[in-house]
Structures are given as structure tokens and as C-alpha cells.
């Protein structure tokens, strides 16, 4: 394992963790535990966002910080679609209401929609990771050619 790139290892781990959280959201949906399903969907999204941040060795201790960095470094410059920002913001609001809101009710349809949003978000992040890897490779090739 000493030959492994620590950055790639972290990215891979976080994507796997996001997919695990997504599976938990689906399991909770099947058990009709819609509020906890929404919460797990958010954490799937949040963890995937942190996987993309790891491509640039970025992170934050706060959820709002992760979202701000994600938007600044990956949404603004088109690495991921603009809708991705809306998905994480909406999921965060739902999670906060589901976890802390009194009398907040989540319907089956809302929980299903959040799972679909999490799937789209993770797919967008995976594409973003591929784009950043290609950008890194082309930057490396360009700098190598300049130094030759």
C-alpha cells in the first residue's frame, strides 16, 4: 500500500462512503423511515462533495465551508453542472429540518426525490473527478513539455 497515492486513496474512500450512505438512505426508505432517509441522502451528497474537494486537497470542518469551497472551486468554473449546487443546498435544508425540525414530516415521494438527487449529485461528482484528473494530466504534460 506504500505505493498508493494518498490523494487518490482518500477520493476513492470518500466516494465509496458516499455510496454506502446512499444505500442506507434506500434501506431507510424501504423501511418507511423517510426523515432518516433524507438525512442519509444529504450525507451521501456531502461526502461526495468532500471527495471532489480532495482532488484539490481542500476541506473544511464546517458543512457550510465544504459547500462554499465546492461551489467556488467546482461549480463556478464548470467542472460540475450548476444544478449540483442547488442539489446540495436543498439536501442540506431537508436534512436540517428532518434532524432538528419539530413536526417536520417527510413524504415517501420527498425521500425518493432526495435519493434521486443524491444519485445525480454523485454521478456529477464522479464526472468532476475525472475532469480534474484529465486537467491534472494535461497540466503535467504541458509543464513537462515546457521543461524539455
Amino acid at each position: 500500500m506504500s505505493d498508493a497515492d494518498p490523494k487518490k486513496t482518500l477520493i476513492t474512500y470518500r466516494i465509496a462512503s458516499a455510496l454506502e450512505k446512499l444505500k442506507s438512505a434506500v434501506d431507510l426508505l424501504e423501511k418507511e423511515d423517510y426523515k432518516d432517509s433524507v438525512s442519509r441522502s444529504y450525507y451521501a451528497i456531502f461526502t461526495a462533495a468532500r471527495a471532489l474537494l480532495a482532488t484539490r486537497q481542500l476541506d473544511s470542518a464546517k458543512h457550510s465551508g465544504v459547500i462554499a469551497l465546492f461551489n467556488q472551486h467546482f461549480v463556478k468554473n464548470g467542472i460540475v453542472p450548476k444544478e449540483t449546487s442547488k442539489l446540495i443546498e436543498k439536501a442540506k435544508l431537508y436534512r436540517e429540518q428532518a434532524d432538528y425540525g419539530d413536526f417536520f414530516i417527510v413524504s415517501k415521494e420527498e425521500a425518493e426525490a432526495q435519493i434521486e438527487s443524491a444519485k445525480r449529485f454523485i454521478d456529477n461528482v464522479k464526472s468532476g473527478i475525472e475532469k480534474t484528473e484529465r486537467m491534472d494530466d494535461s497540466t503535467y504534460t504541458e509543464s513537462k513539455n515546457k521543461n524539455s
Side-chain angles (χ1 to χ4, degrees), residues 132-147:
T132 59
E133 286 174 348
R134 283 194 305 271
M135 289 166 57
D136 290 348
D137 289 345
S138 67
T139 302
Y140 171 75
T141 303
E142 286 172 17
S143 68
K144 188 177 172 186
N145 289 340
K146 285 180 184 176
N147 292 332

Side-chain angles (χ1 to χ4, degrees), residues 52 79-80 122-132 134:
L52 190 52
I79 290 175
V80 295
I122 292 169
D123 286 344
N124 287 339
V125 163
K126 286 179 177 178
S127 295
I129 290 168
E130 290 173 10
K131 280 183 187 176
T132 59
R134 283 194 305 271

Side-chain angles (χ1 to χ4, degrees), residues 13 49 56 61-62 74 84 108 110 114-115 118 138:
Y13 174 82
R56 297 289 178 247
K62 295 184 175 190
F74 302 102
T84 312
K108 178 180 182 182
E110 289 168 322
Q114 283 305 105
I115 287 171
S138 67

Side-chain angles (χ1 to χ4, degrees), residues 21-22 25-26 29 33-46 86-96 98 104 106-122:
K21 288 169 178 43
L22 180 60
V26 171
L29 173 75
D33 192 348
Y34 305 134
K35 283 173 43 170
D36 283 341
S37 176
V38 163
S39 185
R40 285 288 91 189
S41 291
Y42 166 73
Y43 280 105
I45 288 170
F46 178 76
K86 291 181 177 88
L87 294 174
I88 196 169
E89 292 290 347
K90 184 177 179 184
K92 182 176 183 279
L93 290 174
Y94 262 100
R95 196 268 313 171
E96 288 169 351
F104 185 72
V106 176
S107 70
K108 178 180 182 182
E109 292 75 21
E110 289 168 322
E112 289 171 336
Q114 283 305 105
I115 287 171
E116 290 307 311
S117 292
K119 288 177 182 176
R120 267 195 331 274
F121 189 93
I122 292 169

